[in-house]
């Protein structure tokens, strides 16, 4: 699982959003990139989700960001703020060479529409549907990297899945002795830690009970989370600062044993609260380096198929 880390080569391009063109079939109030002459010349053969063969007349020149829908999916429509799973190919509009590409290995890359580092993709993906193949063409940028200087950039993006932007489960009763959590209208959790000393044992509670798929021990989970140091009463990390979702591989090297234990067995749509002592703060392969007790609030948004 990746979050399109290589796509920052295009982060400086024009991000202006305009009303969507009626021939794309999107709702009238949708803010997506309009159709255009440049985008309409791009062809990408192959099945959605598989590495495409992309052709277009070069040099391809666009004066503003354009989009086109090569394949219309029949899945859920994407809204601003939604995490989506995509495969993407990025090409130099000047000579057709491939600049960056996701692995097309059966997985996908996680991208949060409207909030991630590549605004061109957000402009093209909003109001598209799962199962679609979308083209976006961005004009040359003054601060472009050497390999794209003076050239437009072409994106071919397959939308494999869409996830909710926040936990939508049923509220549960709070538990005595646990930190209290208040959720802002946008889903951001506020955590208040009790005044007593941190407990030595692992504790967990379900704040919102979802009714989706159950998380297995080896699942890759799409989630948003906030962690607070119990003793310092300070936020140590939070995906809500940017609003972007992350992919957490349970049992992997980048998630603590305690956090994996808290998430395993829960259902998609749930929001969970976990108190993780230092003894469970390390990953499956790396011992914990901190003595802090951490309080996590995690929104479980989805599970990525193997």
């Amino acid at each position: 699982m990746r979050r399109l880390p290589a796509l920052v080569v295009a982060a400086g391009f024009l991000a202006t959003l305009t009303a969507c063109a009626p021939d794309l079939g999107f709702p009238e109030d949708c803010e997506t990139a309009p159709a255009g002459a440049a985008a309409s010349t791009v062809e990408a053969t192959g099945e959605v989700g598989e590495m495409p063969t992309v052709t277009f007349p070069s040099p391809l020149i666009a004066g503003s960001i354009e989009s086109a829908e090569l394949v219309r999916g029949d899945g859920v429509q994407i809204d601003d703020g939604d995490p989506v799973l995509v495969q993407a190919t990025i090409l130099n509009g000047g000579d057709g060479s491939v600049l960056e590409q996701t692995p097309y290995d059966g997985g996908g890359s996680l991208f949060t529409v409207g909030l991630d580092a590549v605004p061109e993709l957000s402009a093209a993906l909003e109001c598209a549907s799962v199962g679609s193949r979308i083209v976006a063409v961005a004009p040359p940028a003054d601060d472009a990297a050497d390999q794209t200087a003076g050239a437009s950039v072409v994106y071919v993006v397959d939308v494999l899945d869409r996830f909710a932007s926040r936990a939508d489960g049923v509220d549960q009763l709070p538990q005595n002795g646990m930190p209290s959590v208040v959720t802002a209208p946008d889903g951001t959790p506020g955590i208040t830690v009790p005044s007593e000393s941190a407990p030595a044992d692992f504790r967990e509670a379900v704040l919102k009970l979802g009714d989706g798929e159950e998380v297995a021990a080896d699942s890759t989970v799409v989630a948003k989370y906030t962690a607070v140091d119990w003793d310092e009463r300070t936020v140590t990390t939070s995906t809500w600062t940017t609003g972007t979702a992350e992919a957490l591989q349970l049992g992997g090297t980048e998630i603590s044993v305690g956090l994996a234990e808290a998430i395993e067995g829960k259902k998609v749509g749930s929001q969970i609260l976990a108190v993780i002592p230092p003894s469970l703060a390390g990953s499956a392969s790396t011992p914990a380096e901190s003595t802090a007790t951490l309080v996590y609030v995690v929104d479980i948004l989805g599970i990525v198929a193997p």
Side-chain angles (χ1 to χ4, degrees):
M1 275 299 295
R2 304 181 183 180
R3 290 182 55 256
L4 296 179
L7 301 197
V8 294
V9 296
F13 283 93
L14 181 65
T16 303
L17 303 181
T18 61
C20 57
D23 61 339
L24 288 177
F26 295 137
E28 292 183 359
D29 60 350
C30 172
E31 290 188 340
T32 190
S40 67
T41 66
V42 179
E43 297 182 357
T45 59
E47 296 295 322
V48 171
E50 298 179 356
M51 187 178 297
T53 300
V54 183
T55 57
F56 52 82
S58 57
L60 191 63
I61 301 173
S64 61
I65 186 170
E66 300 177 3
S67 68
E69 189 177 50
L70 300 186
V71 177
R72 177 166 298 176
D74 57 4
V76 178
Q77 181 179 298
I78 299 165
D79 293 321
D80 187 45
D82 286 346
V84 293
L85 192 67
V86 303
Q87 298 283 17
T89 296
I90 307 175
L91 306 100
N92 186 321
D95 58 15
S97 60
V98 174
L99 299 172
E100 303 288 351
Q101 204 167 41
T102 54
Y104 292 93
D105 56 2
S109 294
L110 196 60
F111 180 84
T112 305
V113 176
L115 298 173
D116 247 313
V118 190
E120 295 80 10
L121 294 190
S122 293
L125 289 175
E126 187 174 351
C127 296
S129 300
V130 172
S132 297
R133 171 169 286 173
I134 304 295
V135 166
V137 181
D142 294 336
D143 57 352
D146 290 343
Q147 66 267 37
T148 59
S152 296
V153 176
V154 179
Y155 302 83
V156 177
V157 186
D158 293 352
V159 185
L160 307 182
D161 207 347
R162 170 264 181 196
F163 308 98
S165 59
R166 56 181 293 183
D168 57 4
V170 178
D171 291 335
Q172 304 296 292
L173 293 174
Q175 294 186 11
N176 292 332
M178 292 287 280
S180 61
V181 179
V182 177
T183 304
D186 68 351
T188 303
I191 305 170
T192 302
V193 178
S195 57
E196 61 259 27
S197 299
D201 57 328
F202 170 81
R203 299 180 183 180
E204 62 176 332
V206 176
L207 304 178
K208 295 180 183 291
L209 181 60
D211 60 0
E213 183 181 353
E214 185 173 304
V215 178
D218 60 349
S219 293
T220 297
V221 175
V222 179
K224 293 181 181 179
Y225 57 86
T226 293
V228 170
D229 185 309
W230 182 296
D231 294 322
E232 298 296 330
R233 269 72 173 174
T234 57
V235 174
T236 61
T237 183
S238 179
T239 63
W240 290 96
T241 57
T242 60
T244 56
E246 291 190 6
L248 304 176
Q249 173 62 60
L250 271 61
T253 59
E254 298 182 359
I255 183 173
S256 71
V257 173
L259 186 55
E261 181 178 340
I263 296 174
E264 182 183 347
K266 306 305 188 296
K267 291 186 175 182
V268 171
S270 296
Q271 183 184 67
I272 63 169
L273 171 65
V275 179
I276 300 175
S279 60
L280 297 177
S283 70
S285 61
T286 306
E289 297 180 354
S290 173
T291 59
T293 296
L294 297 178
V295 179
Y296 273 90
V297 173
V298 183
D299 284 25
I300 303 173
L301 307 178
I303 298 173
V304 178

